[in-house]
Amino acid sequence: MSTIGAEQWAGEVRSIPDALRLRSRLQPDQSAYVYLRNGEEPDGSLTYRQLDHAARVRAAHLTAAGAAGQNVVLLYPSGLEFVRSLLGCMYAGVAGAPVQVPRRWQGLARLRRVADDAGTTTVLTTTEVKRELERSFADAPELAGLTLVDTESLPEGPADDWRYVSPPPGGTALLQYTSGSTGDPKGVVITHANFAANAAETDELWPCGDDARVISWLPLFHDMGLLFGVVLPLWAGVPSYMMEPEAFIRRPARWLEAVSRFRGTHAAAPSFAYELCVRAAQEGGVGTELDLSSWRVAANGAEPVRWQTVQAFTEAFAPIGFAARAMCPGYGLAENTLKVTGSPGDREPGVLLLSARGLHEGRAESLGEAAGEEVPLVSSGVPVPGTVVRIVDPATRLACADDRVGEIWVDGPCVGAGYRGRAEESEQTFRARIEGEPAGTYLRTGDLGFLRDGELYVTGRLKDVIIRQGRNYYPQDIELSAESAVPGLHPNCSVAFSVPGDQAERLVVLVEADGRVLKSPGVRELRKRVRDAVWENQRLEADEILVVRRGALSRTSSGKVQRRLCRSRYTDGELAQAAVAGQEDQWPAN
């Protein structure tokens, strides 16, 4: 624990706001958060003293408005005002529900659904966002009845008389809404004890130390960005350098440049972000003068992590100091606050070469003479003591035998209290029981995987598995084949799923392509190469391959493709409108 003794910390800190209060008293002028304008230049910062004062200002106003014990929506771009208001809510005993700032009508509809589900009409936001919403969506029915509160303009006077009361561990600290791929986002109730436990577990697995610096471009309304970019740095007492996601997406090298310039030690992202960095390096967009030797933890939070990505990133940036052991795959989800498992930062990522045939049949078996094609699976690491991971047959709810693929079930102090207002669904998801084991309840994650030597290997999403002739095929393997078929395709640009057909399920592969790829090799040849690659690698015949315009696929707030929403949009005919011309004949002539 940076600068503060373990005994004093244990005696005074039970929550994230407790941590801020202690640090503001003992380390008042230490840098806590720095905002990087355009992902490059520092443009505003907060010390612990400044953050404590700003949080008290907001807490005083919320308390005066009678909001204590209530919920509010947090509608902020990535930046310092989000941090001020998040801690202000925690100080006041108000549960915030972070939501992405809407740019289109679809985002506005999500804002309204979250506000309604959270049972609130109060939306905290910035001066600029409030002005833009009122200008662009003045007559939108989704805004009717909502009160937009500009927290940047609150007077500071009431803070002088406000007094801090440490929140109860079981009190609601946040409503973390899921991605809502079905159009129905669910609010996970995260308690103060959940936040503290997840921050402590993460700092135990990937110790920060006094010299640590977090570099984050992840959206703060998303669980990974919130925990890694805001909560962990405050808990560990280390500065966090933030940039907006758009700054990274426009030029991925900014992330690496920030690590080099500010001597970043900890940074996290989904797998596609590392792939974008590799592509930038291949295109000459990353300077060879950078120094990544300070980077100790590059947390990779995909489900599952691609071994190809791990290798490519390590090879691309080893010449400028990136160590192979710094790549730390992990597994987590909002229902567990965030982290479940992670690979220690003192060794290289583990990988197993398994039989594709065995995985199709639900077995994790090493390659044999007749095992068929190999599938590399990257270890997602281990849980720290206190978190328990079990593998369970989702149909029978019996514990799986060793090396059998099943659903990942989790128990521990980070498991959320449930979904707000959804008692039945919460009971099924958060309090599941293993048959034959009367004691103990578990969180059902909906993800598939297996354990070997105490390490978790994730194979895919339960609801996304494609079943052909009694065998399981994982969509991410098909998507990797598609993306590797044609040079120039972006990472994370394809979606594979099955739909009902006249005789059997049909395999559909959607592929995004930009103008450069469509010019050469062209849409017809692109589809042929994708079809051939899927057959060669998975021995599956794709029934339809549809090439769509860049940006047409639905993604989560962290940038991952939303397979079920894409499937729904495909079956509804919506994605046909985004199809590239020239696909009237299903397959080009050989």
Side-chain angles (χ1 to χ4, degrees):
M1 196 58 56
S2 174
T3 305
I4 299 175
E7 184 176 342
Q8 183 174 12
W9 184 267
E12 297 190 37
V13 176
R14 296 288 185 274
S15 67
I16 302 304
D18 284 351
L20 174 57
R21 291 293 291 173
L22 185 59
R23 294 199 182 282
S24 69
R25 192 172 79 241
L26 300 183
Q27 305 162 254
D29 299 318
Q30 181 174 317
S31 177
Y33 300 95
V34 179
Y35 175 69
L36 302 179
R37 178 172 50 84
N38 295 326
E40 298 172 3
E41 296 297 326
D43 184 25
S45 63
L46 286 171
T47 64
Y48 293 119
R49 186 206 309 268
Q50 292 169 334
L51 177 56
D52 171 67
H53 176 75
R56 284 190 284 112
V57 169
R58 285 146 186 78
H61 282 277
L62 289 167
T63 302
Q70 305 298 312
N71 306 324
V72 298
V73 170
L74 300 177
L75 193 68
Y76 294 94
S78 291
L80 301 180
E81 186 58 21
F82 175 91
V83 182
R84 297 184 188 103
S85 293
L86 173 69
L87 269 298
C89 286
M90 290 185 176
Y91 271 16
V94 173
V99 178
Q100 183 176 14
V101 175
R103 304 299 181 191
R104 299 186 178 92
W105 289 97
Q106 184 179 7
L108 199 65
R110 176 178 171 81
L111 165 63
R112 187 66 203 219
R113 288 198 302 270
V114 169
D116 290 345
D117 189 84
T120 185
T121 59
T122 302
V123 179
L124 308 187
T125 190
T126 65
T127 305
E128 182 178 350
V129 171
K130 182 175 185 288
R131 183 186 302 121
E132 183 60 28
L133 285 176
E134 293 174 341
R135 185 186 69 82
S136 300
F137 304 106
D139 300 324
E142 289 84 355
L143 290 182
L146 297 182
T147 301
L148 303 179
V149 179
D150 171 13
T151 54
E152 290 181 307
S153 302
L154 295 175
E156 298 193 0
D160 296 336
D161 299 324
W162 183 83
R163 294 294 178 265
Y164 175 74
V165 177
S166 181
T172 302
L174 192 85
L175 295 177
Q176 182 67 62
Y177 276 82
T178 60
S179 299
S181 61
T182 62
D184 186 23
K186 300 185 289 290
V188 182
V189 178
I190 303 298
T191 68
H192 288 283
N194 292 152
F195 261 137
N198 212 273
E201 284 195 6
T202 305
D203 193 31
E204 180 179 349
L205 177 69
W206 298 316
C208 287
D210 290 343
D211 66 335
R213 290 176 173 82
V214 174
I215 311 292
S216 181
W217 60 266
L218 294 168
L220 300 182
F221 54 82
H222 185 267
D223 53 358
M224 187 187 294
L226 176 64
L227 266 293
F228 217 89
V230 178
V231 175
L232 173 63
L234 177 54
W235 184 267
V238 300
S240 173
Y241 293 78
M242 306 178 192
M243 66 179 73
E244 293 189 354
E246 292 78 6
F248 166 77
I249 296 298
R250 287 196 300 268
R251 195 166 72 83
R254 286 183 172 124
W255 188 33
L256 308 179
E257 290 166 0
V259 170
S260 176
R261 178 179 179 184
F262 301 107
R263 308 310 295 152
T265 60
H266 291 60
S271 189
F272 80 89
Y274 296 99
E275 294 165 2
L276 287 177
C277 290
V278 171
R279 178 168 179 156
Q282 292 171 342
E283 296 176 350
V286 179
T288 57
E289 76 284 356
L290 299 185
D291 179 5
L292 302 183
S293 61
S294 64
W295 202 347
R296 298 198 295 263
V297 174
N300 189 331
E303 306 105 9
V305 174
R306 292 177 174 179
W307 178 237
Q308 181 184 59
T309 301
V310 172
Q311 289 180 304
F313 190 89
T314 300
E315 292 172 2
F317 299 110
I320 56 173
F322 185 80
R325 65 180 179 276
M327 180 61 73
C328 298
Y331 167 72
L333 68 165
E335 285 82 352
N336 193 63
T337 311
L338 179 64
K339 185 197 70 63
V340 176
T341 64
S343 300
D346 58 357
R347 63 173 174 82
E348 295 185 19
V351 62
L352 295 177
L353 296 181
L354 301 180
S355 161
R357 182 182 304 171
L359 284 176
H360 296 331
E361 296 171 356
R363 303 188 312 276
E365 59 183 25
S366 300
L367 289 171
E369 292 184 2
E373 299 82 3
E374 70 179 31
V375 175
L377 281 186
V378 179
S379 167
S380 291
V382 298
V384 302
T387 290
V388 177
V389 176
R390 302 287 300 275
I391 305 300
V392 181
D393 186 307
T396 65
R397 299 198 178 197
L398 292 169
C400 288
D402 291 344
D403 286 340
R404 292 292 304 187
V405 175
E407 186 180 6
I408 302 167
W409 288 23
V410 178
D411 181 36
C414 302
V415 174
Y419 296 122
R420 184 189 184 277
R422 301 168 187 256
E424 183 176 350
E425 192 168 357
S426 295
E427 191 69 21
Q428 294 173 353
T429 302
F430 288 83
R431 288 172 279 281
R433 294 184 181 275
I434 298 176
E435 288 293 326
E437 298 183 14
T441 61
Y442 294 85
L443 165 68
R444 295 190 63 170
T445 68
D447 291 313
L448 295 172
F450 63 93
L451 291 167
R452 179 173 291 184
D453 298 328
E455 299 194 25
L456 177 65
Y457 293 81
V458 182
T459 59
R461 289 287 296 170
L462 177 61
K463 294 182 179 179
D464 291 340
V465 170
I466 297 167
I467 302 175
R468 286 290 180 91
Q469 296 179 337
R471 292 185 173 184
N472 294 336
Y473 293 86
Y474 298 99
Q476 67 271 7
D477 296 333
I478 299 170
E479 292 157 4
L480 178 59
S481 295
E483 294 166 21
S484 304
V486 180
L489 286 176
H490 288 264
N492 199 43
C493 73
S494 63
V495 175
F497 51 81
S498 62
V499 297
D502 293 337
Q503 304 298 326
E505 289 281 304
R506 300 173 61 249
L507 173 61
V508 177
V509 182
L510 308 180
V511 182
E512 282 184 343
D514 57 25
R516 290 184 303 170
V517 175
L518 292 174
K519 184 176 180 180
S520 177
V523 64
R524 291 170 60 82
E525 179 63 20
L526 185 154
R527 293 164 70 225
K528 180 181 184 300
R529 292 185 189 179
V530 169
R531 181 195 190 200
D532 291 346
V534 172
W535 172 256
E536 180 179 350
N537 294 323
Q538 278 77 44
R539 288 298 186 264
L540 281 175
E541 191 78 52
D543 298 288
E544 181 174 358
I545 294 174
L546 184 67
V547 181
V548 296
R549 296 188 300 271
R550 180 84 177 136
L553 299 182
S554 300
R555 289 177 168 81
T556 68
S557 55
S558 64
K560 302 174 186 177
V561 291
Q562 293 176 288
R563 295 190 187 96
R564 278 171 282 168
L565 184 53
C566 287
R567 181 183 185 277
S568 175
R569 294 176 60 206
Y570 169 83
T571 56
D572 291 345
E574 179 184 345
L575 280 175
Q577 302 174 20
V580 174
Q583 303 179 75
E584 292 77 13
D585 297 329
Q586 180 56 36
W587 301 118
N590 290 319

